């Protein structure tokens, strides 16, 4: 795994590197005061308020690869809502870094190592094993997360879960349907049949990519 820290404060870069070192196995951590169109990192810790606009950098990164994790780090709490428009993984407040960084590290470990995702359901945060999720489906203003035993109805967008789930395990049948490959019973030119009997129809242009990735997963 490769992590990049972009901040105009060199001392902060060194401090964050020290805090992250040792938290993950086989990780390369680099720091820079500017963004040089380097897109080959898995996670970016990115300051918002610096000469090279952090929000614009985040947009470039997400346009290149929406699966890259962007974590904003800033004193500018007034920019939180603007930052959320770029769909970051988290917004770390520098003023509370000591308290919030362990939370972020734990979330990343769950996602990358333990294959877990956190969701907010009925007013509290719970962890789900991603391998137990059959599919995620958009239904109006709500998103349905269907597992082997339960259906969780939440308000987060599909993009929110796309970033948290492995692209090797999940694929889009349509814009509003994300299927776990291991729970696919069968598929044809029109639709995908899930093992619980649910049918999801392909949207235009989705089948080839879904089928290619599905075959990679099962072979």
């Amino acid at each position: 795994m490769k992590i990049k820290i972009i901040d105009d404060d060199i001392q902060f870069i060194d401090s964050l590197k020290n805090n992250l070192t040792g938290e993950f196995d086989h990780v390369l951590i680099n720091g820079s005061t500017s963004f040089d169109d380097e897109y080959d990192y898995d996670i970016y810790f990115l300051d918002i308020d610096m000469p090279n606009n952090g929000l614009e950098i985040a947009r470039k990164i997400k346009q290149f690869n929406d699966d890259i994790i962007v974590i904003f780090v800033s004193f500018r709490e007034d920019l939180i809502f603007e930052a959320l428009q770029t769909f970051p993984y988290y917004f770390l407040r520098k003023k509370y870094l000591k308290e919030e960084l362990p939370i972020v590290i734990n979330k990343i470990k769950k996602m990358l190592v333990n294959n877990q995702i956190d969701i907010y359901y009925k007013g509290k945060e719970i962890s789900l094993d991603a391998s137990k999720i059959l599919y995620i489906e958009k239904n109006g203003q709500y998103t349905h997360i269907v597992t082997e035993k339960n259906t969780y109805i939440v308000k987060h967008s599909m993009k929110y879960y796309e970033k948290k789930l492995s692209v090797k395990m999940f694929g889009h049948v349509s814009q509003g349907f994300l299927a776990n490959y291991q729970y696919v019973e069968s598929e044809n030119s029109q639709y995908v049949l899930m093992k619980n009997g649910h049918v999801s129809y392909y949207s235009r242009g989705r089948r080839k990519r879904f089928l290619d990735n599905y075959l990679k997963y099962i072979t």
Side-chain angles (χ1 to χ4, degrees):
M1 184 170 68
K2 297 174 67 177
I3 296 175
K4 181 80 171 196
I5 303 167
I6 304 175
D7 198 296
D8 57 357
D9 184 340
I10 296 176
Q11 288 185 332
F12 178 80
I13 290 175
D14 291 338
S15 175
L16 185 55
K17 283 177 69 174
N18 289 335
N19 285 321
L20 293 172
T21 300
E23 291 289 348
F24 304 98
D25 295 328
H26 312 297
V27 63
L28 171 68
I29 305 174
N30 287 326
S32 175
T33 58
S34 63
F35 179 66
D36 301 316
D37 291 330
E38 296 178 288
Y39 298 100
D40 57 339
Y41 288 84
D42 303 294
I43 300 174
Y44 288 81
F45 284 85
L46 178 60
D47 188 14
I48 293 179
D49 190 24
M50 58 181 186
N52 295 327
N53 188 298
L55 292 171
E56 187 57 38
I57 294 172
R59 291 187 186 99
K60 287 182 178 180
I61 292 171
K62 302 304 277 183
Q63 285 174 3
F64 179 81
N65 184 350
D66 198 40
D67 293 323
I68 294 174
I69 294 173
V70 173
I71 298 168
F72 286 120
V73 189
S74 181
F75 282 116
R76 295 287 304 276
E77 295 180 32
D78 59 304
L79 295 176
I80 289 178
F81 291 107
E82 188 175 355
L84 290 177
Q85 296 177 15
T86 66
F87 298 99
Y89 184 75
Y90 206 89
F91 189 105
L92 270 174
R93 298 172 295 175
K94 285 185 177 180
K95 186 166 65 172
Y96 300 105
L97 191 70
K98 184 177 179 180
E99 295 84 3
E100 295 182 358
L101 183 59
I103 296 173
V104 173
I105 290 173
N106 187 50
K107 285 180 177 291
I108 294 172
K109 285 181 176 180
K110 282 183 178 181
M111 181 182 65
L112 298 179
V113 181
N114 298 326
N115 201 33
Q116 290 185 323
I117 65 169
D118 294 330
I119 69 169
Y120 290 93
Y121 181 67
K122 293 185 176 180
K124 61 181 181 180
E125 186 176 72
I126 63 174
S127 292
L128 296 179
D129 183 345
S131 67
K132 303 297 184 184
I133 297 174
L134 280 67
Y135 56 85
I136 298 178
E137 184 175 27
K138 187 69 175 173
N139 192 338
Q141 63 178 324
Y142 295 98
T143 299
H144 292 198
I145 302 174
V146 179
T147 68
E148 294 174 316
K149 297 181 178 180
N150 297 300
T151 296
Y152 300 90
I153 301 175
V154 296
K155 281 195 172 182
H156 277 303
S157 67
M158 290 291 286
K159 273 186 172 292
Y160 176 84
Y161 294 106
E162 285 173 30
K163 287 198 288 288
K164 294 176 178 289
L165 295 170
S166 170
V167 294
K168 295 179 181 179
M169 185 184 295
F170 289 82
H172 273 288
V173 176
S174 64
Q175 184 63 33
F177 194 93
L178 197 59
N180 186 333
Y181 296 128
Q182 68 177 318
Y183 292 102
V184 172
E185 179 68 28
S186 63
E187 75 84 48
N188 58 38
S189 61
Q190 293 183 314
Y191 60 79
V192 172
L193 173 65
M194 305 302 293
K195 289 186 177 180
N196 68 343
H198 186 81
V199 172
S200 179
Y201 285 85
Y202 284 116
S203 59
R204 185 185 299 273
R206 291 281 184 180
R207 188 191 183 209
K208 184 180 186 306
R209 183 174 182 182
F210 181 88
L211 191 56
D212 286 347
N213 290 333
Y214 172 62
L215 293 174
K216 288 177 183 177
Y217 179 82
I218 63 175
T219 57

